[in-house]
Amino acid sequence: MDFLDEIVLTGLTVFGRHGVYAHEREEGQEFTVDLRLRLSLEQASASDDVADTVHYGELAERVAAVVAGEPVNLIETLAERIAAVALDDRRVQQVSVTVHKPHAPIPQNFADVAVTVHRTRAPESLEDITA
């Protein structure tokens, strides 16, 4: 595969209870997630069948469940969990996940705080390929 196509989902906003401070977990806040999936879309574009691509509606539901789910201290950890969800689909070769925390407990004026992680599917071992 010489190049990868992309599916991009931006601005997915979900209420969660993540943060280091007790009040962040008690009160919660909205988090916004941006995803950039890299994969081949050749088969999907040829077949015109949603089964041959990542269904972004279903992906959004799975990501929202992570954000709304078990609290974590750091948005770095949250981004990592979301990346793992995206890589669950074996067609996805690479993913970039940005988690925005626009209501972070910072006393100064600011527009946003965000963390971005980039993850690549680990190469399959020879055992996985031949099994």
Side-chain angles (χ1 to χ4, degrees):
M1 187 178 312
D2 295 334
F3 66 91
L4 293 173
D5 305 308
E6 293 184 334
I7 294 175
V8 179
L9 173 64
T10 58
L12 179 64
T13 302
V14 181
F15 185 85
R17 298 183 179 276
H18 310 288
V20 174
Y21 301 112
H23 72 272
E24 292 181 285
R25 290 181 176 227
E26 291 166 9
E27 297 169 17
Q29 61 188 286
E30 288 188 333
F31 295 82
T32 301
V33 177
D34 302 328
L35 293 135
R36 181 173 301 271
L37 310 178
R38 292 176 188 87
L39 66 159
S40 173
L41 297 175
E42 284 184 72
Q43 186 173 349
S45 60
S47 71
D48 198 30
D49 186 342
V50 71
D52 291 331
T53 189
V54 174
H55 189 300
Y56 45 80
E58 292 174 1
L59 176 63
E61 287 180 22
R62 293 179 66 211
V63 170
V66 171
V67 177
E70 181 186 351
V72 296
N73 290 331
L74 303 177
I75 58 175
E76 291 87 336
T77 304
L78 186 58
E80 187 72 31
R81 288 183 178 181
I82 294 167
V85 164
L87 289 171
D88 277 347
D89 188 313
R90 300 193 62 74
R91 293 170 293 203
V92 177
Q93 298 303 303
Q94 300 171 342
V95 63
S96 296
V97 176
T98 301
V99 175
H100 301 266
K101 187 175 180 178
H103 306 292
I106 299 173
Q108 291 76 23
N109 278 341
F110 69 100
D112 191 19
V113 171
V115 168
T116 302
V117 299
H118 306 279
R119 297 295 177 261
T120 300
R121 173 170 305 292
E124 295 183 46
S125 72
L126 187 55
E127 283 180 17
D128 292 339
I129 294 171
T130 57

